[in-house]
């Protein structure tokens, strides 16, 4: 289980920072908002990993 903790801790930290922009950390629903943001961050990372080659090709053509 330590590997899961090492992977999720940075994602939850980033999610807490982003959720803190919109909701006070003292609010009752902060945990819900943080988890929603973390799901969006994980989905973005998975999308980035899935479409890495087309994105790299697009940037390579953009630089030329």
């Amino acid at each position: 289980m330590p590997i899961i903790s090492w992977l999720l801790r940075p994602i939850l930290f980033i999610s807490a920072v982003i959720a803190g922009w919109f909701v006070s950390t003292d609010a009752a629903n902060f945990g819900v908002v943080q988890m929603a943001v973390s799901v969006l961050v994980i989905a973005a990372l998975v999308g980035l990993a899935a479409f890495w080659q087309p994105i790299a090709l697009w940037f390579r053509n953009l630089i030329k």
Side-chain angles (χ1 to χ4, degrees):
M1 285 307 218
I3 191 72
I4 293 174
S5 175
W6 282 72
L7 292 174
L8 290 180
R9 190 172 301 262
I11 292 173
L12 288 176
F13 176 75
I14 292 169
S15 300
V17 171
I18 294 172
W21 293 341
F22 301 105
V23 178
S24 173
T25 56
D26 295 335
N29 62 346
F30 179 75
V32 175
V33 174
Q34 181 184 6
M35 291 308 294
V37 172
S38 67
V39 168
L40 291 174
V41 168
I42 291 171
L45 290 174
V46 169
L48 183 67
F51 296 107
W52 177 252
Q53 287 181 344
I55 292 171
L57 285 173
W58 182 70
F59 275 119
R60 195 174 301 140
N61 289 335
L62 189 66
I63 293 173
K64 288 182 182 179

